[in-house]
């Protein structure tokens, strides 16, 4: 996989609540993604079966070009992916897909994604981010991940440009997706511990 993969980090603790990484996919100045992620992470934190880690891509110095050394920023990002048992990716729709910042980050890890579940929270201006989700499903399938069926989607134009508030249907969607991520997160954590994942 070239020179940018892997870290020497110790194997993380795989007991207790499922470790859910909520990834903020937009790094855009003035982004809506931060508020959307906060809304979703608060819902996840209310559950006893999940331990939440918000992974904000804007916090990592990820080089725009692949370098033949793992930079501290890349190592830090890979470490957070490695520690997680499950992922919720918060993504806007950009030109009927997901942002380049998110693809760049996804491509910096490899083995650390494998045999883990991922779900999506998506939004757009005029759309609800469904193209972004479907493109991400393809990418994460290539990385040997299980994409859950549940999803949380909304149009920012219909929610005053911010994260959704007091929307019962959206909250039910979030709970259903979190149920699926918790189930798959635990099931695949146990499976990975029982036997190595196939290559
Ligand atoms: C480059 C770019 C392309 C966009 N393309 C779409 C699009 O195809 N469909 C859509 O519904 N919204 C589109 N939008 C609107 C964004 O979804 C909206 O601005 C959203 O707030 C972006 O998320 P962020 O604020 O977290 O970066 C686009 C925005 C940008 C910056």
């Amino acid at each position: 996989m070239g020179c940018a993969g892997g870290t020497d980090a110790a194997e993380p603790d795989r007991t207790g609540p499922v470790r859910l990484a909520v990834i903020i996919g937009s790094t855009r100045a003035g982004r809506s993604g931060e508020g959307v992620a906060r809304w979703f992470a608060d819902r996840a934190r209310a559950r006893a079966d999940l331990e939440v880690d918000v992974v904000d891509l804007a916090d990592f110095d990820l080089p725009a070009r692949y370098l033949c050394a793992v930079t501290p920023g890349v190592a830090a990002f890979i470490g957070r992916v490695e520690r997680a048992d499950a992922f919720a990716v918060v993504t806007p729709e950009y030109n009927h897909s997901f942002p380049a910042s998110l693809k760049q980050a996804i491509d910096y890890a490899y083995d650390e994604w494998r045999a883990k579940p991922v779900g999506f929270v998506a939004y757009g201006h005029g759309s609800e981010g469904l193209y972004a989700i479907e493109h991400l499903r393809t990418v994460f399938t290539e990385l040997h991940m299980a994409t859950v069926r549940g999803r949380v989607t909304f149009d920012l134009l219909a929610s005053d440009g911010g994260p959704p508030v007091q929307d019962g249907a959206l909250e039910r969607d979030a709970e259903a997706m979190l149920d699926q991520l918790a189930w798959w997160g635990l099931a695949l954590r146990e499976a990975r511990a029982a036997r190595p994942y196939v290559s």
Side-chain angles (χ1 to χ4, degrees), residues 44-69:
R45 281 197 194 95
R47 300 170 59 115
D49 56 352
L50 296 173
E51 182 183 299
V52 177
D53 177 26
V54 174
V55 178
D56 185 349
L57 298 186
D59 289 342
F60 297 88
D61 186 11
L62 298 176
R65 299 171 59 230
Y66 278 100
L67 306 174
C68 277

Side-chain angles (χ1 to χ4, degrees), residues 48-194:
D49 56 352
L50 296 173
E51 182 183 299
V52 177
D53 177 26
V54 174
V55 178
D56 185 349
L57 298 186
D59 289 342
F60 297 88
D61 186 11
L62 298 176
R65 299 171 59 230
Y66 278 100
L67 306 174
C68 277
V70 177
T71 65
V74 170
F77 175 70
I78 290 174
R80 299 279 281 279
V81 174
E82 167 71 13
R83 277 196 292 280
D85 297 311
F87 302 91
V89 174
V90 178
T91 183
E93 186 160 300
Y94 283 5
N95 295 321
H96 280 198
S97 189
F98 57 91
S101 54
L102 182 53
K103 184 63 161 61
Q104 183 186 52
I106 291 168
D107 290 346
Y108 269 124
Y110 190 65
D111 291 346
E112 298 80 8
W113 295 113
R114 288 183 154 210
K116 296 176 182 178
V118 57
F120 306 102
V121 179
Y123 53 92
H125 264 188
S127 87
E128 295 195 346
L130 296 179
Y131 287 112
I133 290 180
E134 293 311 315
H135 289 180
L136 282 164
R137 287 192 196 283
T138 304
V139 171
F140 282 124
T141 298
E142 178 62 15
L143 288 165
H144 296 254
M145 298 180 76
T147 69
V148 301
R149 182 179 184 277
R151 64 187 188 212
V152 181
T153 64
F154 60 94
D155 181 356
L156 286 170
L157 292 179
S159 63
D160 292 332
V165 285
Q166 304 299 323
D167 183 329
L170 213 61
E171 290 182 359
R172 281 192 294 280
D173 287 349
E175 288 307 321
M177 189 173 91
L178 288 168
D179 284 345
Q180 293 163 27
L181 286 169
W183 191 93
W184 278 102
L186 194 58
L188 292 180
R189 184 168 82 181
E190 290 171 355
R192 293 195 308 277

